[in-house]
Amino acid sequence: MSINFQPQRLNLQALAQDGQPWSEVTPLSDLQRLSDEAQGLAPDAAVQWQARAELRPQNGAEDQVWLHLSAQASVPLTCQRCMAAVSTPLEVDQWYRFVESEEVAMAEDDEAEEDLLVMVPQFDLLALLEDELLMALPLVPMHETCPVTPVFSAGDPAVEAAEAKPNPFAVLGQLKKN
């Protein structure tokens, strides 16, 4: 890359004019909100990402800045079944079109297939990357097959005690049959 870019104070216009893809590896510990979601983050855990900006001509107006962001990471999350760590792969592959104001973004948002963002002099690409990775997190992380016995399972005294209690609605079921 011929120009020195900083991902937290990025000049998107210059990146688009440069036309070269920008690839980096960012430690997960640098993405605070994402690392807060992790369970036992390894010191070498990182996000591999690439950003490519381009100028696309439009009829009767200035060229528009578009940004393609792709990223891959593996984040250790807490399995909701067994409560052990589960390595969860995350992927991002998204296009963004930059517009001049929030009003334009709101007006065009319903018809646009791509995400619309407002052009700012110094864009924080790492914040966008972290937002996208957070949105890629599963709602309920789980192992396909848990390596340890789940917390509440057959043979657990708490589960057996709950099963031994009579169902309070069983009496109603008997009344309905009569």
Side-chain angles (χ1 to χ4, degrees):
M1 179 165 289
S2 59
I3 301 173
N4 184 20
F5 290 107
Q6 296 177 341
Q8 292 164 315
R9 293 188 306 266
L10 184 61
N11 180 334
L12 288 166
Q13 191 75 32
L15 183 65
Q17 288 170 345
D18 184 57
Q20 297 298 313
W22 181 16
S23 298
E24 278 201 21
V25 176
T26 300
L28 278 174
S29 58
D30 288 358
L31 305 174
Q32 185 61 48
R33 294 176 294 148
L34 186 60
S35 62
D36 287 347
E37 297 294 323
Q39 176 184 336
L41 199 58
D44 63 341
V47 178
Q48 295 181 349
W49 59 272
Q50 181 179 34
R52 182 173 49 91
E54 59 186 52
L55 294 172
R56 292 187 185 174
Q58 57 179 9
N59 293 335
E62 283 185 28
D63 293 348
Q64 280 191 321
V65 175
W66 284 68
L67 176 73
H68 182 250
L69 179 64
S70 60
Q72 298 82 33
S74 184
V75 179
L77 300 174
T78 303
C79 173
Q80 297 302 300
R81 194 178 304 140
C82 68
M83 305 309 283
V86 56
S87 180
T88 307
L90 302 178
E91 285 193 35
V92 172
D93 186 16
Q94 187 68 39
W95 277 100
Y96 307 92
R97 178 168 52 101
F98 287 85
V99 295
E100 55 274 0
S101 69
E102 190 69 39
E103 292 77 26
V104 173
M106 295 298 286
E108 295 181 13
D109 190 41
D110 289 338
E111 294 86 35
E113 291 182 20
E114 69 281 354
D115 284 344
L116 299 177
L117 298 174
V118 177
M119 182 67 94
V120 293
Q122 293 186 342
F123 184 74
D124 189 347
L125 185 57
L126 286 183
L128 177 64
L129 173 66
E130 186 172 22
D131 288 345
E132 290 295 334
L133 289 168
L134 285 167
M135 288 189 288
L137 289 173
L139 291 175
V140 182
M142 287 189 291
H143 292 103
E144 286 194 28
T145 304
C146 290
V148 296
T149 305
V151 175
F152 294 107
S153 65
D156 187 337
V159 172
E160 289 177 2
E163 290 174 353
K165 286 185 181 179
N167 185 341
F169 297 104
V171 175
L172 294 175
Q174 291 174 354
L175 289 174
K176 186 176 179 183
K177 290 179 184 177
N178 295 335

